[in-house]
Amino acid sequence: MGTARRLARCALLAAAAAVVLLLTGLGAGGLVILVIGLAGLVASAVGIWWFLAHRGPLRVLGALLAVGAPVATLTLYIVGGLWLTALLALGLWAVALLCARAALRRPAEPRGPVTPTDRARGERRPRPRRPVLIMNPKSGGGKVGRFALVERAEKLGARVILIDPSAETDVAALAREAVADGADLLGVAGGDGTQALVAAVAAEHDLPFLVVSAGTRNHFALDLGLDRDDPSNCLAALVDGEELRVDLGSVSGRPFVNTVSFGVYADVVQRPEYRDAKAGTALDALPDLLQGGQGPGLDATADDSRLLAQQAILVSNNPYAAPDPFGAAAARRPRLDGGELGVIGVRVTSAAEAAGLAVWGTQATGLNVLTAGRVEVVGASGNLGNGNGNGNGNGNSNGNGNSNGNGGVADGKGKGNGNGNGNGNGGGYDAGTIPVAVDGEALVLPTPVVCTLRPRALRVLVPRDRPGSVPPRPPLDWRRIAALALHSSSGTTRRNST
């Protein structure tokens, strides 16, 4: 604790020195630096919002503002002769942040709970006699072939089932057939969506499950501490492995190992063109989604907490350590056996709210962060479609708007087909359903969509010799820093939620 206390005091001193330098040491110049820097940050956030939420000239203006604001801020510092002051203040603040994060991480090393990715938690298991691995040769851009996973697995005594990428395959059925044939271990070399489906079968039969990091992002493998650079190293668990018990999520009866996304992201991945042009599809869809032109918001109930009219909701198998919407690429879960769902709700409807999110981060009013044992999500009341189709016959559609006829009613983008025609604009889905992305896979599920967790239901076999999971960065909490610096012992870490 002595080291943590010293680091906390160093953080407070460096932060205080930065403030003193700006506000008193250099007179009005320090205040000017603060004002210019804050204005640049807000302007850049507004520009990003305009770029994402609008089309045409306003999108172009947003791009220029997002790039131009930081450049203008730097130029003003140089022209005004304030660059040295700004550089010194920035250096002091960087020291404060580094010391603060190091102080927060330090107490957890000897005293904090051991995570399931820690090798000390693994239980040695005998070598499986009849392991069966299901492999997707297209996953991760062809990692199965590039790393010779089939040949290496077979040399270690595993039976390999290759998925035919050209045909729709029920991987859960393949896994059940393997169990019926006597498999004593199931494994997957593929994406997280495939991992979850087979993992559910393994949990159902209380069999160990092997994760081979042959997908694109391999988030599950990351939090298990597996080697994501060379998936063949995951196969070492077949001969020298240890077992971890982790939680398994369920969304309306479908398993998931990482996340369930609702709202903006789920809407985007539903589009057929998304897989071939992810960035272009997202930019084309976001203005309608963010401005409310496509589909109502989402209402969620997380245990006893209500989240109303959210634009996006993320439910995770155990909470992420730092639920920062700007740091999703580096997000990690410190443990996978905590028995709780992580819940993040986002509602940003204007440039001002976007600027607030950029400035305040996880403390912004547009961001809700909590944990729950059960989450229920429905579409917000009302449908925001603005088109009508009239005719005698059946209406069918897949977006938003209405097609009304004597034969039925459907809400969606598209046209009503029958003896008459009608067009609807906007977005949405047939009444009573919402788009959902389960471990990155696009689905449309009937409402209410219910997410739950099965604590420690999955037995995961991992290599004893593995990289391990990098400890996630703790949330920056200056109240805890002050407590560490001024008191002899730190208080219990608690997760803040808004």
Side-chain angles (χ1 to χ4, degrees):
M1 290 299 298
T3 302
R5 191 182 306 115
R6 287 192 292 271
L7 287 168
R9 289 173 178 174
C10 178
L12 291 180
L13 287 173
V19 173
V20 169
L21 175 65
L22 290 174
L23 297 182
T24 61
L26 295 173
L31 185 60
V32 170
I33 289 174
L34 282 177
V35 172
I36 292 176
L38 184 60
L41 178 62
V42 170
S44 183
V46 170
I48 293 172
W49 171 259
W50 285 351
F51 177 76
L52 294 176
H54 297 274
R55 296 187 180 93
L58 198 55
R59 169 170 282 183
V60 175
L61 180 61
L64 293 174
L65 185 60
V67 175
V71 174
T73 300
L74 181 61
T75 302
L76 286 174
Y77 284 160
I78 295 174
V79 173
L82 301 173
W83 66 272
L84 182 58
T85 305
L87 188 62
L88 289 173
L90 186 62
L92 286 170
W93 186 246
V95 170
L97 292 178
L98 287 173
C99 290
R101 292 201 180 277
L104 290 175
R105 184 174 287 141
R106 174 71 61 170
E109 291 174 0
R111 305 197 320 152
V114 182
T115 71
T117 56
D118 192 293
R119 294 177 191 175
R121 286 293 302 270
E123 182 178 347
R124 291 295 300 273
R125 288 294 182 184
R127 179 172 178 171
R129 297 177 181 230
R130 301 189 66 182
V132 175
L133 305 183
I134 298 173
M135 298 190 180
N136 183 352
K138 288 191 66 176
S139 185
K143 288 183 179 179
V144 169
R146 191 158 67 250
F147 290 93
L149 296 182
V150 175
E151 295 80 3
R152 294 185 180 189
E154 290 177 340
K155 285 182 180 179
L156 295 174
R159 179 165 74 91
V160 175
I161 301 174
L162 272 180
I163 296 174
D164 182 359
S166 63
E168 186 173 345
T169 304
D170 186 344
V171 293
L174 290 178
R176 289 191 179 93
E177 290 175 8
V179 173
D181 290 339
D184 61 354
L185 175 141
L186 295 176
V188 171
D192 287 329
T194 306
Q195 300 274 2
L197 293 173
V198 179
V201 178
E204 176 186 342
H205 295 275
D206 195 31
L207 293 177
F209 178 67
L210 176 65
V211 177
V212 182
S213 56
T216 302
R217 296 179 179 86
N218 301 299
H219 288 162
F220 192 40
L222 170 68
D223 293 329
L224 286 169
L226 300 177
D227 190 340
R228 297 194 301 165
D229 296 326
D230 187 350
S232 66
N233 289 331
C234 299
L235 298 174
L238 293 173
V239 293
D240 186 19
E242 57 188 19
E243 185 177 294
L244 310 174
R245 281 276 186 177
V246 302
D247 303 335
L248 184 62
S250 175
V251 50
S252 294
R254 181 188 174 99
F256 69 95
V257 293
N258 294 323
T259 59
V260 181
S261 301
F262 303 86
V264 173
Y265 175 72
D267 277 302
V268 170
V269 299
Q270 297 288 331
R271 302 189 174 218
E273 63 272 25
Y274 174 73
R275 290 195 179 274
D276 295 326
K278 290 181 172 62
T281 303
L283 287 176
D284 181 62
L286 281 174
D288 291 325
L289 297 170
L290 294 176
Q291 294 285 6
Q294 281 206 3
L298 297 162
D299 292 343
T301 302
D303 288 344
D304 296 327
S305 301
R306 295 293 307 277
L307 302 177
L308 301 178
Q310 303 292 292
Q311 289 169 298
I313 296 174
L314 180 76
V315 179
S316 59
N317 175 2
N318 283 267
Y320 284 92
D324 184 350
F326 299 106
R332 286 185 173 91
R333 291 165 289 181
R335 60 186 304 164
L336 294 173
D337 65 347
E340 286 187 313
L341 296 166
V343 185
I344 303 174
V346 180
R347 177 172 171 79
V348 179
T349 59
S350 67
E353 291 180 356
L357 189 60
V359 173
W360 299 110
T362 57
Q363 302 303 313
T365 57
L367 186 66
N368 295 285
V369 181
L370 59 155
T371 59
R374 182 181 186 274
V375 179
E376 181 177 304
V377 181
V378 298
S381 58
N383 193 322
L384 300 186
N386 57 7
N388 295 306
N390 300 309
N392 296 317
N394 295 320
N396 57 57
S397 53
N398 56 11
N400 194 26
N402 298 310
S403 172
N404 303 320
N406 295 333
V409 178
D411 298 326
K413 180 181 178 182
K415 59 184 180 180
N417 298 319
N419 295 330
N421 297 312
N423 296 316
N425 299 314
Y429 289 81
D430 290 346
T433 64
I434 55 175
V436 182
V438 181
D439 286 333
E441 300 293 328
L443 301 172
V444 177
L445 298 178
T447 57
V449 178
V450 177
C451 300
T452 56
L453 204 62
R454 297 170 56 191
R456 298 175 61 84
L458 183 62
R459 300 166 54 191
V460 181
L461 192 68
V462 296
R464 283 207 312 139
D465 183 15
R466 62 188 188 278
S469 180
V470 177
R473 256 187 350 179
L476 189 59
D477 187 341
W478 286 101
R479 287 174 295 186
R480 284 194 62 214
I481 293 297
L484 276 172
L486 302 176
H487 301 291
S488 59
S489 61
S490 63
T492 301
T493 304
R494 291 187 179 179
R495 186 177 181 82
N496 293 328
S497 64
T498 57

